Amino acid sequence: MADIPIPLLRTFVVVAETLNLTTAASQLHRAPSTISMQLSRLEAIVTAQLLERGQYGVRLTAAGEQLRTQAHQLLSMHDRILGAFQNADISGKVRLGTHDLYATRALTPLLEAYMLWYPEAWLEVTCDHRPHYLASLVEEGKLDLALVEMPAVSDGGQRLCRDQLVWVRAEAHPVHQQDPMPLVLFPEGCYYREMATQALQLSGRPYRVAFTSHSRGGVLAAVKAGIGVGITPRTTIEDGLVIIGEGLPPLPQTDTTIFVADNVNEATARLAQTIANSPLFQPNSRNVPNGSE
């Protein structure tokens, strides 16, 4: 019986999550042809078709869905074993501040892997919608590091990759045509809110705040329900939302930025390095949706 190489399982898991060979290749820093070869080799070892390739990407077969679950379990066990032996001496408290834009999306698999590799680290995560506030907590020594979305023209921190803020609405609800236009926003102190309201005021477009939430999930749910227009980075567009391409003032670009306090412990330094080096936060990993009205 042939063994399954761990690198093949890692490649398969990324493809299973992205359902796109080009996106997976970008995240893994490999050529799409290499990804295809690895998948073919894995299918040969397990003697089952795992993926069905089509014009718009790939989808998992029944065998692929089964292997996806099992591969996650095996990789977690593998990383936990290695972490327990190789990184047992790396310990201490790690205080991370971030927006739930990251905490509920890109950071989830990254933090899972980090906790497996560094089992003695004590991770404490604080979510807040105010990037400048989180950066100030790092400066004051109340946080060890912060991963936030900052204005592209501002200073400070290590800039990882750039995005573009866009107006969005629900596919079935043209609420941007209302006068005044209803908005779905984070509370005061949010950079998105400040830029959106400032742009509307400068353009003379009447608006009203129809819904406010501290949670990204709450904001997106309100937008999808047709309560109002929202603002989000272009690369985070979800199903059911469309970009409003005309009739509204342009919004600025943002930078995914990491702030790290001075004289942090080794566990914090490793997390900062893990985030900065992650393919998820590299410029070429930002696959921007083309759809807008």
Side-chain angles (χ1 to χ4, degrees):
M1 180 180 295
D3 294 333
I4 301 177
I6 291 296
L8 297 189
L9 287 179
R10 292 197 191 280
T11 295
F12 171 73
V13 167
V14 174
V15 173
E17 291 173 347
T18 62
L19 296 179
N20 187 291
L21 295 182
T22 302
T23 302
S26 175
Q27 292 188 10
L28 293 167
H29 294 289
R30 296 188 178 94
S33 59
T34 302
I35 301 299
S36 294
M37 290 176 59
Q38 289 183 315
L39 294 173
S40 296
R41 184 182 171 197
L42 180 60
E43 288 179 328
I45 293 174
V46 300
T47 65
Q49 183 180 0
L50 303 174
L51 301 162
E52 291 182 351
R53 297 163 176 81
Q55 181 180 358
Y56 300 104
V58 298
R59 74 178 186 88
L60 296 177
T61 64
E65 290 285 1
Q66 179 181 358
L67 181 60
R68 178 183 183 179
T69 300
Q70 295 170 336
H72 271 294
Q73 296 172 347
L74 180 57
L75 291 175
S76 294
M77 180 61 70
H78 173 273
D79 292 345
R80 185 177 295 109
I81 291 172
L82 281 184
F85 284 97
Q86 296 181 354
N87 302 312
D89 59 334
I90 298 176
S91 61
K93 184 182 295 185
V94 181
R95 300 169 299 173
L96 168 66
T98 191
H99 195 296
D100 65 355
L101 166 69
Y102 297 120
T104 59
R105 289 172 59 90
L107 275 181
T108 301
L110 190 151
L111 293 180
E112 178 185 11
Y114 175 81
M115 294 306 299
L116 291 173
W117 275 101
Y118 303 100
E120 298 303 317
W122 294 356
L123 183 63
E124 296 180 359
V125 181
T126 299
C127 288
D128 197 280
H129 64 279
R130 298 165 293 176
H132 294 286
Y133 171 70
L134 290 175
S136 70
L137 292 183
V138 175
E139 182 69 23
E140 296 168 6
K142 297 177 181 178
L143 286 176
D144 300 309
L145 69 163
L147 182 70
V148 295
E149 197 88 357
M150 296 293 288
V153 297
S154 62
D155 298 324
Q158 178 184 354
R159 302 303 164 112
L160 303 180
C161 53
R162 182 155 292 184
D163 213 327
Q164 174 69 53
L165 291 181
V166 293
W167 305 95
V168 293
R169 66 170 179 85
E171 288 180 333
H173 302 287
V175 290
H176 62 298
Q177 298 175 0
Q178 297 180 19
D179 190 17
M181 184 176 71
L183 293 179
V184 176
L185 302 171
F186 287 99
E188 294 286 350
C190 172
Y191 172 61
Y192 300 172
R193 179 185 180 121
E194 294 172 359
M195 292 299 98
T197 55
Q198 183 181 77
L200 291 172
Q201 291 168 3
L202 291 175
S203 67
R205 176 66 187 269
Y207 70 90
R208 64 182 180 86
V209 178
F211 186 96
T212 301
S213 175
H214 289 270
S215 163
R216 179 177 182 273
V219 167
L220 291 183
V223 174
K224 292 179 180 180
I227 294 177
V229 170
I231 304 94
T232 190
R234 181 182 289 269
T235 60
T236 66
I237 300 297
E238 297 186 0
D239 292 340
L241 300 178
V242 294
I243 299 172
I244 305 172
E246 297 181 357
L248 293 177
L251 294 169
Q253 294 181 321
T254 63
D255 285 337
T256 299
T257 306
I258 185 170
F259 291 85
V260 184
D262 296 330
N263 302 318
V264 296
N265 60 28
E266 182 63 21
T268 299
R270 293 291 182 97
L271 179 57
Q273 183 181 34
T274 299
I275 293 173
N277 294 340
S278 171
L280 298 172
F281 299 113
Q282 299 305 310
N284 60 2
S285 70
R286 293 285 172 126
N287 295 283
V288 179
N290 294 321
S292 64
E293 57 175 18

